[in-house]
Amino acid sequence: VILIMSKITKALIGGNWKCNGTLSQIESMINVLNNAGTFSSNSEVVIATPSIHLNACKSKFRPDISVSSQDCGFKKGYGAFTGEISAEMLADSGIKWTLTGHSERRVGFGYPGETNEVVGIKTKNALDAGLSVIACIGEQLNERENGTTMDVCAAQLTGLVAAGLTPEDWARIVIAYEPVWAIGTGVVATPKQAQDTHAEIRSWLQKNISTEVADTTRIIYGGSANAANCDELYSQPDVNGFLVGGASLKEEFIKIINC
């Protein structure tokens, strides 16, 4: 199936700062980005900061940088959910974006990680609260090697659908394809590997949601994207931007924004 991608007019360039940054380091990176000159008019910039820095970054970043949470709560609203930050709380603070389902949260930090069902519920909670979502999917190395990449991605996408997403919800979803074996390892999916999987994801959206959603949903690549490889990756027709980890904490992130 050949899809016409002309409806996607802006790349989404996302930064994920993960659990990084002292107060002084965050201040320094804000200054680097704020003084970076004019960004490409083809790029929408969204940076997911640690929750403790969300409000400071929102108030200090230049207006063309949006701030994102790295996750949102499994429960809606306000209540006895110690340690959680609900989607409603993020929205009330003026935060417009959140990540959901990042592979580090799916795998877990030495304890069981989030299931496809949990990620779906969090995604729907965020959308219902008015947030936009960068929903992360991707396979482990053994899954890539045994040829089940798309089976894994399809199951993760099905988890979103099962949470009750409406056709209107998809207008506020960006899909981040992150091959887990490439995150933080320095190993990058080849442009062909990225394009092939992005095209399969788009085909899945067409078959399971609608042609309109397939044509308009940005599918961005994450997994050791950096200033040296971003141009070649972005030249692929179904790569609509990046979710950048470590490199988003460095000055080279500016080149990725302007790729």
Side-chain angles (χ1 to χ4, degrees), residues 50-65:
S51 54
I52 199 166
H53 299 307
L54 280 169
N55 276 324
C57 287
K58 182 172 74 71
S59 65
K60 292 177 180 178
F61 269 138
R62 52 195 274 181
D64 54 353
I65 298 176

Side-chain angles (χ1 to χ4, degrees), residues 10-14 40-46 64 66 97 174 218 257:
K10 270 204 173 193
L12 191 291
I13 310 296
S40 166
S41 60
N42 293 325
S43 295
E44 179 179 8
V45 182
V46 179
D64 54 353
S66 295
W97 287 85
V174 173
R218 289 179 288 187
I257 292 170

Side-chain angles (χ1 to χ4, degrees), residues 18 178-189 221-230 233 242-247 252 256:
K18 306 189 181 187
E178 298 196 295
V180 179
W181 46 272
I183 296 175
T185 60
V187 179
V188 186
Y221 173 79
S224 296
N226 58 43
N229 59 37
C230 65
L233 285 163
F242 300 101
L243 182 58
V244 183
E252 69 178 272
I256 303 172

Side-chain angles (χ1 to χ4, degrees), residues 27-237:
E27 193 75 33
S28 171
M29 195 59 202
I30 290 170
N31 289 335
V32 165
L33 292 170
N34 283 353
N35 294 310
T38 305
F39 291 154
S40 166
S41 60
N42 293 325
S43 295
E44 179 179 8
V45 182
V46 179
I47 297 179
T49 77
S51 54
I52 199 166
H53 299 307
L54 280 169
N55 276 324
C57 287
K58 182 172 74 71
S59 65
K60 292 177 180 178
F61 269 138
R62 52 195 274 181
D64 54 353
I65 298 176
S66 295
V67 175
S68 171
S69 178
Q70 296 176 7
D71 191 36
C72 77
F74 182 76
K75 293 289 191 179
K76 285 192 167 196
Y78 300 82
F81 317 128
T82 302
E84 290 286 88
I85 301 176
S86 69
E88 288 79 2
M89 198 171 272
L90 290 168
D92 181 62
S93 294
I95 304 302
K96 302 285 198 293
W97 287 85
T98 187
L99 307 184
T100 58
H102 191 278
S103 66
E104 288 156 16
R105 301 199 62 81
R106 290 181 184 270
V107 171
F109 306 104
Y111 56 84
E114 297 179 1
T115 63
N116 292 338
E117 180 187 17
V118 166
V119 174
I121 289 168
K122 287 185 170 188
T123 301
K124 181 60 174 164
N125 288 351
L127 293 162
D128 285 351
L131 302 178
S132 295
V133 177
I134 299 172
C136 305
I137 64 173
E139 83 283 7
Q140 304 278 346
L141 181 59
N142 64 311
E143 294 161 340
R144 162 67 63 171
E145 289 174 339
N146 66 24
T148 57
T149 291
M150 200 52 214
D151 294 339
V152 172
C153 291
Q156 292 168 339
L157 290 165
T158 300
L160 301 182
V161 175
L165 268 60
T166 66
E168 294 73 31
D169 284 336
W170 284 94
R172 286 184 286 119
I173 295 177
V174 173
I175 295 172
Y177 167 62
E178 298 196 295
V180 179
W181 46 272
I183 296 175
T185 60
V187 179
V188 186
T190 66
K192 183 179 188 310
Q193 284 175 319
Q195 167 57 26
D196 288 351
T197 306
H198 281 225
E200 286 189 83
I201 292 166
R202 205 175 296 286
S203 177
W204 188 95
L205 291 174
Q206 185 188 43
K207 292 184 183 114
N208 294 276
I209 313 296
S210 71
T211 298
E212 175 70 13
V213 166
D215 285 353
T216 55
T217 298
R218 289 179 288 187
I219 305 172
I220 64 177
Y221 173 79
S224 296
N226 58 43
N229 59 37
C230 65
D231 286 337
E232 194 177 5
L233 285 163
Y234 187 55
S235 70
Q236 304 302 308

